[in-house]
Amino acid sequence: MSMAIELYTRAMTLDEQVRAICKKARDAARKLSPRPRAEKDAALEAIARALGTHAADVLRANAADLEAARDRGTKGALLDRLMLDEARLAGMAESVRQIAALPDPVGEVVSRTTREDGLRIARVRVPLGVIAMIYEARPNVTVDASALTFKAGNAVVLRGGSEAARSNAALAEILMRAIESVGLPSDAVAVLPFTDRDGVRALIQQSDFVDLAIPRGGEALIRYVTENARVPVVQHYKGVCHIFLDAGVDIAMATRVVMNAKMQRPGVCNAVECLLVDAKDAARVLSPVANALLSAGCELRGDAQTCALVPAAKPASEDDWGREFLDTVLAVRVVDGLDAALAHIAEYGSGHTEAILTPNAAHAERFRREVDAACVAVNASTRFHDGGQFGLGAEIGIATSRVHWRGPMGLEALTTMKWIVDGEGHVRA
């Protein structure tokens, strides 16, 4: 019998089965929470080895998922996200080893004070508990999310999309057996056997057992989770990222940064989706930047001023402002200076990443201070907004919400705080 998908001996509703899975995860989290780093790292090393030993099993499951996806007409980037091969499995194993090598945040003393009466008060990091990870298409998330949550002492309940159901089940089987092999609770990783929205609904309403829900996927999935959850949700919302080309910007730098932000990987959440250009300098700046994008195969959709300066650009529709293209398409707008750029970003940005390219230190400081986003970049590409680039080692996603985390979610983001009070018979006056 598969450990990843448990079969119950009596008739149970979907909600009852999800509740039972989450309860087991809660029990596992309590057992895992106090375990030392060495034991958790041993489990992660066992997972990394098992991904190599059982690669053939995973690839067979993935081949079945790919065949079904092709039969449904899935193509291009979506098919690529679903696909696993030996190189990608090896990369997943290496990622697990890198997570094992990271410092353990659990038990870190964040602050420590001693009162005048000798009472000692400390604040330390502890695991969150049980995390519900809801995602689509990418089977690598099954391993990445499990390794990160496990390292931080949490249990995770995974609900992947139907398109990767076989791959996710095979990977979860490997994860659970590897964890069990070193004497830790295998229920710290669980995959829901339900891939429809009912399974999502049941999971995000388990307020007795689930401490945090993290949705990763399309806008519709994230909205559904946010609107229906009875547990806290960290939103990994769409990345409508802007770059503002301020007056006086160096053309070579602007071209290099915009090309990197748009064309290096157009389908990721930190790729730029809208270019704003100061009207005072648009005649000098816009054409060379636009020509580089067009030569690289990028479609430009511009306002009237953009189309006048760049005849190859197509007229933009109102829907193009605030749109996440995830493709070689870029919206371009000429704006009346920094105030207008800030207003556009405030109206259409998604709170992910916003950038300004400018020689003006005062404008740069104002942009840093006034833009409301998880990441603000000055004279740098939006593509730097990434856990690996920020030195976190790994991330479970990039949060655009404000509570309890914002930006790349590494190990620290998967913990909360506990107050420790040490006295010698102290009583409150």
Side-chain angles (χ1 to χ4, degrees):
M1 182 185 297
S2 168
M3 298 177 67
I5 301 176
E6 182 172 350
L7 301 177
Y8 294 89
T9 56
R10 65 181 179 85
M12 298 176 72
T13 66
L14 179 148
D15 287 66
E16 288 172 335
Q17 291 186 59
V18 172
R19 182 176 177 82
I21 291 169
C22 292
K23 184 179 186 304
K24 288 188 173 186
R26 167 66 74 199
D27 293 341
R30 289 197 181 101
K31 295 173 184 175
L32 181 62
S33 175
R35 306 317 303 165
R37 172 181 177 174
E39 293 185 17
K40 293 185 290 184
D41 288 352
L44 293 173
E45 178 57 36
I47 289 169
R49 290 195 305 269
L51 286 170
T53 304
H54 300 286
D57 297 333
V58 177
L59 294 178
R60 276 195 297 271
N62 185 246
D65 283 335
L66 286 169
E67 183 179 1
R70 293 189 185 99
D71 289 344
R72 293 191 300 270
T74 304
K75 298 177 181 178
L78 290 176
L79 204 62
D80 181 66
R81 291 177 187 175
L82 177 61
M83 188 270 290
L84 295 176
D85 56 21
E86 289 187 5
R88 289 187 177 184
L89 281 176
M92 289 159 63
E94 178 57 26
S95 176
V96 172
R97 289 191 170 97
Q98 290 174 3
I99 291 169
L102 293 172
D104 188 349
V106 178
E108 176 193 350
V109 178
V110 178
S111 64
R112 181 186 282 117
T113 59
T114 302
R115 290 169 27 122
E116 290 182 0
D117 60 1
L119 194 69
R120 300 181 301 280
I121 301 172
R123 192 159 55 110
V124 302
R125 293 197 181 281
V126 295
L128 279 168
V130 177
I131 295 171
M133 187 73 199
I134 302 149
Y135 55 104
E136 299 172 331
R138 301 174 186 265
N140 65 291
V141 174
T142 301
V143 175
D144 292 344
S146 297
L148 279 166
T149 53
F150 186 87
K151 173 81 175 192
N154 303 290
V156 64
V157 180
L158 303 150
R159 184 279 186 186
S162 58
E163 63 279 357
R166 301 172 186 84
S167 304
N168 290 336
L171 289 168
E173 185 83 10
I174 290 169
L175 292 163
M176 296 171 75
R177 291 194 182 279
I179 291 169
E180 186 180 55
S181 73
V182 297
L184 293 178
S186 62
D187 289 323
V189 173
V191 171
L192 286 191
F194 314 107
T195 57
D196 58 10
R197 283 291 164 89
D198 261 357
V200 174
R201 174 198 53 75
L203 177 58
I204 61 178
Q205 294 185 353
Q206 297 299 324
S207 55
D208 290 340
F209 303 116
V210 173
D211 297 288
L212 182 70
I214 302 176
R216 283 186 64 180
E219 183 177 353
L221 172 66
I222 294 171
R223 286 196 182 279
Y224 180 86
V225 171
T226 303
E227 292 169 3
N228 290 276
R230 293 179 184 168
V231 302
V233 177
V234 173
Q235 297 179 24
H236 293 244
Y237 199 44
K238 61 184 179 180
V240 182
C241 306
H242 297 80
I243 292 179
F244 172 51
L245 302 184
D246 197 10
V249 67
D250 179 79
I251 289 176
M253 179 184 76
T255 303
R256 183 173 66 253
V257 172
V258 173
M259 285 290 291
N260 176 262
K262 179 73 259 186
M263 301 303 291
Q264 186 192 50
R265 289 192 66 192
V268 295
C269 62
N270 58 12
V272 66
E273 301 289 21
C274 182
L275 183 66
L276 304 174
V277 185
D278 191 330
K280 292 190 290 292
D281 210 9
R284 179 184 72 92
V285 172
L286 184 53
S287 289
V289 175
N291 288 337
L293 289 162
L294 291 165
S295 297
C298 184
E299 176 185 323
L300 303 182
R301 299 182 187 179
D303 64 349
Q305 288 176 274
T306 295
C307 291
L309 291 168
V310 184
K314 299 179 180 180
S317 68
E318 181 59 31
D319 289 342
D320 288 326
W321 314 124
R323 182 172 175 183
E324 187 180 34
F325 296 105
L326 298 174
D327 200 353
T328 53
V329 180
L330 182 67
V332 185
R333 191 173 206 172
V334 176
V335 296
D336 188 15
L338 179 58
D339 284 337
L342 292 170
H344 180 101
I345 291 169
E347 182 174 358
Y348 295 106
S350 64
H352 193 290
T353 311
E354 307 295 355
I356 182 174
L357 306 185
T358 180
N360 189 315
H363 285 188
E365 181 54 35
R366 189 177 166 205
F367 195 86
R368 292 188 193 98
R369 185 175 62 249
E370 296 187 23
V371 168
D372 182 15
C375 177
V376 175
V378 175
N379 294 329
S381 172
T382 58
R383 290 280 292 117
F384 282 106
H385 191 188
D386 172 84
Q389 294 293 318
F390 285 2
L392 302 182
E395 68 176 39
I396 204 167
I398 295 177
T400 56
S401 54
R402 292 173 174 80
V403 178
H404 78 287
W405 198 261
R406 208 173 192 197
M409 292 190 70
L411 290 172
E412 182 182 333
L414 298 172
T415 63
T416 185
M417 300 293 180
K418 177 191 287 186
W419 291 91
I420 305 294
V421 179
D422 287 306
E424 298 174 5
H426 284 69
V427 294
R428 181 172 175 174

